[in-house]
Amino acid sequence: MSLPVLNQRFRTWWQPRRGLAIAEACVIGLVAALSAVFLKVGSGWLGTWRVHSTHIFPVWLALPAIGLVLGFVAGWLVDRLAPEAYGSGIPQVKATLANVPMKLSWRVAGVKLLSAIIAIGSGMTLGRQGPTVHVGAGLAAGMSRWVPTSPDHRRQMIAAGAGAGLAAAFNAPIAGVLFIVEELLQDLSGLTLGTAIIASFIGGVISRLLGGGSLDLNLQLVKSSSQFSIPEIPFFVLLGILAGLLGALFNCGLIFSIKFYRKLHISLPLRVALAGFLSGVIVSMLPAPFRDNTGLRESLITGGSQPTVAAIAFVAQFILTLIAFGSGAPGGLFAPSLILGSCLGHIIGVSEFYITGAGSPTTYALAGMGGFFSAVSKVPITAIVIVFEMTTDFNLVLPLMIVSVAAYLVADKVVPGSLYEKLLELKGITLTKEAPMEGALTKLTAKDVMQERVETLDAQMSLEEAMQSFARSHHRGFPVVEDNKLVGIVTQSDLLKIRDRNLANDIFLKEIMTPVPMTVTPIHTLSNVLYLLDRYQISRLPVVDGRRLIGIITRADIIRAEADHLNCDNRTPKLRPEPSYIVYQTRSPSTGSGRLLVPVANPETAGILLQMAAAIARDRHYEIDCVQVMLIPRHSSPSETQVRTAKSRRLLRQAEVLAKKWKIPLHTQIRVTHDVAQAILETINEQHIDLILMGWKGNTSTPGRIFGNVVDTVIRQATCEVVLVKLGTTQQSFNRWLVPMAGGPNSPLAIKLLPALITLGNDPQIHLTQVFKPSELKPDMSVSEQAIRHLMRRRKLSSTVVALPVQANSVAEGVINLVKTEGYDVVVLGASQEGLLQQAIQGNIPEAIASGVESTVILVRGAINAQR
C-alpha cells in the first residue's frame, strides 16, 4: 500500500465521527457526574462543619470569621490560578459556545470545583449547579483538545459537558438536554442532541447512584401533599406574575451589586472575603434554622413553616444572594432562585388556603420554584422539567406550566434579555444574534476582506525600475497611481510583452500599463467581486473610493474569508475593550497655547525624548502631558486591577525635574489599560493634544506592520501632529542634521520643528537634500532653497544651512548613503502625502532608513484635519 494512501486513511480515521462523538459524550457524562458528586459532598461537609462550629464558638464570631477566611481563600484561588472561574460560570460557557475567545480548560474546571466548594461551604447563599455546568464544560473542552476535531464538534462537546453537569447537579437528564437547546447552544441538529442526551443521561444516572441528589427533597411527602384543581388557576397566575416581577427585580439587583463592588476598587479575594463576612453577620442575626439551607428548603416545600418565616426567608435569601453573587464568588444562581421561588409559593399557597380553605402550600412552593427560576434564567421549559424531574409528580405539571410561563412573560417584559448576556456585557462582551450561516459571499463586502496596505507603482516610474520592483516582490501585478489616484494596473504579462518587443528601458510605466482598470467599490459583495474575477479572468481587483485607491482584493482573500466563515470566525463577537483607567495624575496650571503629549516607557530613552519635548514645548509655548501606560491581562478590568506605580512615578519625576528647570507646565498621569494605543488615543482626545512625540525602536517583528501595532495605530488614528523618534544606536549627538525634502504639506512641519530641536546640539549644521534620479541632468533645488529662505526669515539662526542635491535610484538608498558618507547625527523625514509619507504608510522607506543608519531618525506627520 502506497504512502499517500496510508496518509489519506490516517486523516480519514481522525475525522470527527459519530462513534467518536458518542464515546466522548459517555466519558464527559461520567466525569461531569463525578465532579458534581464531589462538589456536593465537599460543600456539604464544609457546611456541616461550619454549622457545628456555632455550637463551640459564639455564633456572632464563628459565622463571620469563617465567611471572611474561606471567602478570601476562594477568591484568592480564582484570582491567582484561573480568573475565568469567577461567578456562576454559565456566562463563560455561553460566551465560549458563541466563539468568544475565553479560556475553558481542565485548569479552569479544577479551580472552579475547589473554589466553589470553599465558597459555598463558607455559608454564602450561592448554588452549586452553576459551577457544575462550568466544570462539566471545562472538562469537555480540555478533553476535546486531545482529539483533532472541527470547531463545531468541539462546541458540541462543550455543550454536552455543560448539560451533563446540570443533569448531574439536579438528577435531571432531560433538563440538561433542554438547557443546552434553550439557552446555551440553541442547536437541534442530530449530533448535538445525541451527544447531549447521552452525556446528560450518564451524568444523571451516575450522580444518582453515587448519592448526588439535587435538593434532598422528601419525595414521598411531596407527592402526598401536592394537588391541583381548576379554581386554583387564578392563584397560580398571580404567583407567576409576582414571580416574574420579583425575578426581574432580582436580576436588576444582581447587576447593581456587581457594579457596586466594582466601585470599591478592591481585588477579587477581598471582595469575596467581604461578601463572606457580611453573609456571616446577617445569618448570625437570623433564627437557627436559617443556618442550614437544606432543612429550611425542605420545611418550606413541605409546608412546615409559617408564612412569616417564609417571608423572612425570602427577604434574607434575596439580600444574601445579591451580596454573595455580586462579589464574583464562584457559585451559581439556580439553588437561590429555587429557594426564593419556594418561599414565594409557600406564602401564596398559605394565603390561598386562608381565603378558600383549599389548596396545598406544597404545590404552590414547587410551582413557585419553577416560576422564579424561569423569571431569573429566562428558560421556562427547562424550569418546568427540572422541578418535574426532581419530584416525578404529574400533578405538578399544569401548575408548573402556568406559573413558569406567566413568570417568564412578565419578567421578559419588565427586563428584556438574558441575565447571562447582561453579565457578559459587564465584562465588555456582546453576543450578537446572527442569522443562519448563508455563506461569506453574500454577507461580506470588499471592504471587509480587502488588503488595506497596497504596494503601488508610480506612473512616472521607468520600465527598469518597474522590473526591479517586481523582482523584489512576490506580487504578479501592481496598481499604478498618479497624484494618489488610480490610473492603471501593470502585471508581469505586460512586462514580458514589452521585453519581447525589445523596447527601450527608459520608457515610463504609464505607457505600458493597462489604463482604466476594472475596479470595485468598498460596498461590493464578495459574490460580485468573484463574478468580476471570473468574468474577466483576472486574479486581483483594486478597491477604490471615487478614484482614490483604498485597497486591493484577490481570489486568495475571498477563499480565506469563506474558510473563516465556515470555521465560525466571522461570527466571533467582538470584545468591546474597556476604557483605560487613570490611577495616578498630577496637574499644573494651564498657561500654554497648546499641549504636547509624551508617552514614556523605557527609562533609557525617556530622558532624550523629554528633552526633545521640552525644546518643542518651550519654542511653541506648549504645556507637556507625560503619560505612563501599564498593561494588564484582558480578563482583568482596568478600573479594578491593583497595580504598583512606584517605578512609573520615578520615571515621571524625570519629566517633572526637566519641566521645572525650563519652567514649562507639566501634567503627568499613569493609565491602566488592555491596549497601549487605545490609552494613548484616549489621552489625545481627552486632553485635546496638539502634538504627540513618541519613541520607536526602529523595526517591528509584527507581520503586516511598518512601525508596530501601537505606533501604526496612533499614526493612523491620531488627529494631532505626530513626531516619531528612533534614537541612534551610537553616542547621542545632535550637531549634524539632514532633512530630505519632498515638497507637500509635511515638509514645512519638519522645517518648523528644526529651530526648536537644534537647540539640543552644539553649533548645529543643517543640510537640506533632494534626491534625484541619475537620468536628471539638472536637478531642481527650488524646494530646498525656498525652505532655507523660510528658515532664515522666521528665525535668526546662527547655524549653517545648506541645500544638497543627491542622485540615487530611490529615496531610501540616497538618504542612507548620504548619512553613512557624511556622518549625520539626525535625519528628519518631513514627508508629503504624495511622496515620502504615502510610502511611509504603504511601504517601508522609514523602516529602511531607520534600520540602515545608526543615526537618530525623526518622522513628522501633520495633523490629519490640517492635511484634508
Side-chain angles (χ1 to χ4, degrees):
M1 187 176 295
S2 65
L3 184 60
V5 174
L6 287 174
N7 289 336
Q8 179 64 30
R9 289 194 176 185
F10 180 76
R11 287 194 295 267
T12 303
W13 184 84
W14 274 110
Q15 292 300 315
R17 296 175 297 174
R18 187 173 298 273
L20 177 62
I22 293 174
E24 280 189 81
C26 293
V27 177
I28 289 170
L30 175 63
V31 177
L34 294 175
S35 63
V37 172
F38 181 70
L39 177 56
K40 181 198 174 184
V41 173
S43 60
W45 178 86
L46 203 55
T48 301
W49 170 80
R50 178 181 61 87
V51 174
H52 180 70
S53 66
T54 60
H55 302 303
I56 304 174
F57 302 100
V59 174
W60 57 268
L61 176 63
L63 295 184
I66 292 174
L68 177 69
V69 174
L70 295 185
F72 182 84
V73 172
W76 184 87
L77 286 173
V78 173
D79 189 55
R80 293 290 181 176
L81 301 181
E84 300 83 3
Y86 69 92
S88 164
I90 293 178
Q92 293 92 308
V93 176
K94 189 177 178 70
T96 302
L97 293 175
N99 294 308
V100 174
M102 184 171 287
K103 188 175 182 181
L104 196 60
S105 63
W106 285 346
R107 180 189 182 94
V108 174
V111 173
K112 186 56 171 266
L113 182 61
L114 185 58
S115 60
I117 290 174
I118 298 173
I120 297 170
S122 70
M124 281 186 272
T125 307
L126 295 170
R128 54 185 173 83
Q129 290 76 22
T132 57
V133 172
H134 197 187
V135 170
L139 294 172
M143 189 178 303
S144 67
R145 292 189 177 92
W146 285 66
V147 182
T149 55
S150 66
D152 280 341
H153 180 87
R154 182 173 182 268
R155 291 174 65 240
Q156 289 165 338
M157 291 301 105
I158 292 174
L166 185 66
F170 282 111
N171 280 341
I174 300 176
V177 177
L178 291 177
F179 187 69
I180 294 172
V181 174
E182 193 174 14
E183 176 63 28
L184 295 181
L185 202 55
Q186 298 176 348
D187 182 8
L188 290 173
S189 65
L191 186 58
T192 298
L193 281 178
T195 53
I197 290 172
I198 293 172
S200 298
F201 170 77
I202 293 178
V205 170
I206 298 299
S207 176
R208 179 163 299 193
L209 290 175
L210 296 178
S214 58
L215 294 179
D216 298 319
L217 300 179
N218 190 331
L219 298 180
Q220 296 299 324
L221 185 58
V222 167
K223 289 183 179 181
S224 64
S225 303
S226 63
Q227 58 185 18
F228 171 71
S229 60
I230 299 299
E232 294 179 285
I233 290 179
F235 291 94
F236 285 113
V237 173
L238 175 63
L239 175 59
I241 294 173
L242 290 176
L245 293 174
L246 293 173
L249 178 63
F250 184 69
N251 284 354
C252 293
L254 293 173
I255 302 298
F256 173 80
S257 177
I258 294 173
K259 292 181 178 179
F260 176 79
Y261 274 104
R262 284 189 175 184
K263 292 180 181 179
L264 299 179
H265 303 303
I266 57 178
S267 64
L268 179 63
L270 293 179
R271 292 203 307 266
V272 181
L274 177 61
F277 175 78
L278 293 177
S279 298
V281 170
I282 294 174
V283 172
S284 66
M285 294 187 294
L286 295 173
F290 286 82
R291 300 166 200 166
D292 181 10
N293 285 331
T294 301
L296 176 64
R297 181 170 51 236
E298 184 167 329
S299 176
L300 291 167
I301 293 172
T302 57
S305 299
Q306 296 297 322
T308 53
V309 176
I312 296 174
F314 183 89
V315 174
Q317 292 281 323
F318 195 100
I319 296 173
L320 288 170
T321 305
L322 298 188
I323 292 173
F325 190 82
S327 68
L333 294 172
F334 284 5
S337 300
L338 295 174
I339 295 174
L340 289 168
S342 65
C343 293
L344 183 62
H346 181 81
I347 294 172
I348 298 297
V350 173
S351 301
E352 190 259 352
F353 181 79
Y354 287 156
I355 294 172
T356 65
S360 169
T362 297
T363 304
Y364 282 90
L366 292 168
M369 290 168 61
F372 205 91
F373 181 88
S374 174
V376 172
S377 299
K378 303 293 178 65
V379 283
I381 300 176
T382 303
I384 294 169
V385 174
I386 281 179
V387 179
F388 171 72
E389 284 193 281
M390 288 192 301
T391 60
T392 64
D393 187 358
F394 284 95
N395 291 328
L396 289 173
V397 174
L398 287 177
L400 275 171
M401 293 178 66
I402 295 171
V403 176
S404 297
V405 173
Y408 167 75
L409 294 176
V410 171
D412 198 55
K413 184 69 175 178
V414 176
V415 182
S418 168
L419 170 65
Y420 304 123
E421 293 183 5
K422 286 182 171 60
L423 295 176
L424 288 173
E425 288 175 1
L426 292 177
K427 288 290 183 180
I429 300 172
T430 302
L431 303 184
T432 56
K433 301 292 183 182
E434 292 285 349
M437 203 179 284
E438 299 173 358
L441 296 181
T442 58
K443 297 179 64 177
L444 299 180
T445 63
K447 185 179 180 180
D448 295 327
V449 301
M450 70 181 184
Q451 303 173 39
E452 296 184 10
R453 285 188 58 223
V454 186
E455 295 183 41
T456 61
L457 301 181
D458 192 270
Q460 302 299 324
M461 182 177 287
S462 68
L463 176 60
E464 182 179 0
E465 291 173 324
M467 289 183 173
Q468 292 176 359
S469 299
F470 274 92
R472 291 193 299 264
S473 174
H474 66 278
H475 296 306
R476 294 182 295 175
F478 290 93
V480 182
V481 296
E482 189 171 29
D483 296 329
N484 204 29
K485 296 178 180 177
L486 181 69
V487 295
I489 195 165
V490 63
T491 65
Q492 288 181 342
S493 301
D494 297 326
L495 296 184
L496 292 175
K497 292 177 183 177
I498 297 299
R499 188 186 64 181
D500 293 341
R501 289 162 56 186
N502 295 321
L503 294 180
N505 287 337
D506 57 355
I507 65 173
F508 293 106
L509 198 59
K510 64 180 180 180
E511 300 176 38
I512 64 172
M513 70 181 185
T514 302
V516 194
M518 178 65 61
T519 62
V520 293
T521 65
I523 61 174
H524 269 83
T525 64
L526 295 191
S527 59
N528 294 334
V529 176
L530 188 60
Y531 169 78
L532 293 175
L533 292 174
D534 290 337
R535 173 68 177 79
Y536 296 99
Q537 292 298 301
I538 51 181
S539 58
R540 66 193 60 79
L541 279 171
V543 184
V544 295
D545 185 6
R547 289 187 60 193
R548 185 170 63 92
L549 180 67
I550 63 173
I552 196 165
I553 187 169
T554 67
R555 291 178 184 270
D557 297 328
I558 298 176
I559 294 172
R560 190 180 305 112
E562 184 67 20
D564 292 343
H565 190 86
L566 292 175
N567 288 327
C568 307
D569 288 349
N570 66 304
R571 293 185 291 164
T572 301
K574 300 297 182 183
L575 288 175
R576 197 171 57 232
E578 291 188 55
S580 60
Y581 184 76
I582 301 176
V583 296
Y584 171 84
Q585 66 177 340
T586 62
R587 314 305 296 171
S588 297
S590 297
T591 59
S593 59
R595 304 189 78 144
L596 186 154
L597 176 64
V598 185
V600 292
N602 187 352
E604 297 179 0
T605 59
I608 299 296
L609 291 178
L610 290 170
Q611 290 182 38
M612 289 185 176
I616 297 172
R618 190 170 60 171
D619 180 72
R620 297 190 180 187
H621 305 289
Y622 276 8
E623 304 166 22
I624 296 179
D625 282 77
C626 196
V627 61
Q628 164 79 34
V629 180
M630 303 183 70
L631 272 177
I632 60 171
R634 286 280 178 182
H635 56 72
S636 301
S637 172
S639 61
E640 298 178 17
T641 304
Q642 291 183 330
V643 293
R644 297 180 179 178
T645 61
K647 292 183 178 179
S648 299
R649 281 181 286 165
R650 281 198 295 270
L651 194 58
L652 294 178
R653 288 195 194 101
Q654 295 184 27
E656 293 173 352
V657 171
L658 188 62
K660 185 176 181 180
K661 175 183 176 183
W662 283 15
K663 298 180 181 179
I664 299 173
L666 177 74
H667 318 284
T668 67
Q669 59 179 246
I670 301 174
R671 286 181 178 255
V672 180
T673 184
H674 295 148
D675 187 332
V676 175
Q678 174 195 346
I680 293 175
L681 292 172
E682 288 173 359
T683 306
I684 291 173
N685 295 329
E686 293 171 8
Q687 305 300 327
H688 306 290
I689 299 299
D690 298 285
L691 184 149
I692 178 173
L693 188 145
M694 299 179 64
W696 170 45
K697 63 183 179 181
N699 55 67
T700 178
S701 58
T702 306
R705 295 289 187 178
I706 295 297
F707 307 105
N709 287 325
V710 174
V711 179
D712 273 17
T713 303
V714 172
I715 286 181
R716 196 166 51 245
Q717 299 184 24
T719 56
C720 62
E721 293 182 43
V722 178
V723 178
L724 194 61
V725 180
K726 193 273 305 190
L727 294 176
T729 56
T730 58
Q731 184 177 1
Q732 293 297 334
S733 177
F734 299 96
N735 297 325
R736 293 176 55 80
W737 296 72
L738 177 65
V739 185
M741 302 298 298
N746 285 303
S747 292
L749 293 177
I751 300 300
K752 187 179 179 181
L753 279 176
L754 278 176
L757 293 176
I758 61 175
T759 59
L760 300 173
N762 299 318
D763 190 22
Q765 301 177 11
I766 304 173
H767 288 183
L768 309 183
T769 184
Q770 288 182 253
V771 179
F772 300 96
K773 291 181 172 34
S775 58
E776 297 185 44
L777 299 177
K778 187 177 181 180
D780 183 6
M781 298 293 294
S782 59
V783 175
S784 298
E785 293 170 357
Q786 183 180 0
I788 293 176
R789 289 194 298 270
H790 178 80
L791 270 174
M792 304 306 296
R793 183 172 62 251
R794 293 198 57 186
R795 301 283 178 177
K796 295 181 179 180
L797 296 178
S798 59
S799 307
T800 305
V801 184
V802 178
L804 183 66
V806 173
Q807 288 188 338
N809 292 322
S810 68
V811 174
E813 177 186 343
V815 172
I816 292 173
N817 290 337
L818 188 61
V819 171
K820 291 182 177 180
T821 303
E822 301 295 331
Y824 288 100
D825 301 317
V826 187
V827 181
V828 183
L829 302 175
S832 70
Q833 288 180 327
E834 295 77 21
L836 218 55
L837 180 64
Q838 176 186 348
Q839 297 177 68
I841 302 301
Q842 298 179 351
N844 290 306
I845 285 182
E847 183 182 10
I849 294 175
S851 60
V853 302
E854 296 181 351
S855 306
T856 296
V857 178
I858 301 176
L859 176 67
V860 183
R861 194 221 68 182
I864 291 179
N865 292 335
Q867 295 182 25
R868 290 179 178 175

